[in-house]
Amino acid sequence: IADAPDATADAIRLGVVRRGMTSEQVRAAFGGRPTSVVKFAVRGQVSELWVYRDHGVAIEFSRRGPEADSIAVEISELAAP
């Protein structure tokens, strides 16, 4: 991700996900697609919940409008099985 700020670029290189990252930055940090995705929309706001089982986290993304970037707004640890 060439245009990422230095702290975000460092996080991506280290495989760390942070709130405020775009969905593209999260995929770059974790090296691929999530295990599962749930999408839902309410009053013009689209949210997605991405689950990365191998990393033990669920990430909630939010965006307003079809052209907006999806931004990580919440990162939660998955419960142990």
Side-chain angles (χ1 to χ4, degrees), residues 17-81:
V17 173
R18 297 189 175 143
R19 291 174 70 194
M21 284 183 157
T22 66
S23 56
E24 182 180 352
Q25 291 168 334
V26 169
R27 279 193 298 270
F30 280 170
R33 296 181 178 269
T35 308
S36 61
V37 175
V38 177
K39 296 181 183 183
F40 45 100
V42 176
R43 293 186 208 110
Q45 181 170 326
V46 177
S47 295
E48 297 182 8
L49 183 65
W50 290 15
V51 176
Y52 281 91
R53 290 198 193 285
D54 292 348
H55 295 278
V57 297
I59 305 163
E60 181 182 344
F61 290 91
S62 182
R63 70 180 161 94
R64 289 203 173 269
E67 302 301 320
D69 284 336
S70 291
I71 303 296
V73 294
E74 191 67 44
I75 301 167
S76 304
E77 291 185 26
L78 297 176

Side-chain angles (χ1 to χ4, degrees), residues 4-18 21 25 28-30:
D6 289 342
T8 300
D10 289 343
I12 291 169
R13 277 192 292 281
L14 295 170
V16 175
V17 173
R18 297 189 175 143
M21 284 183 157
Q25 291 168 334
F30 280 170

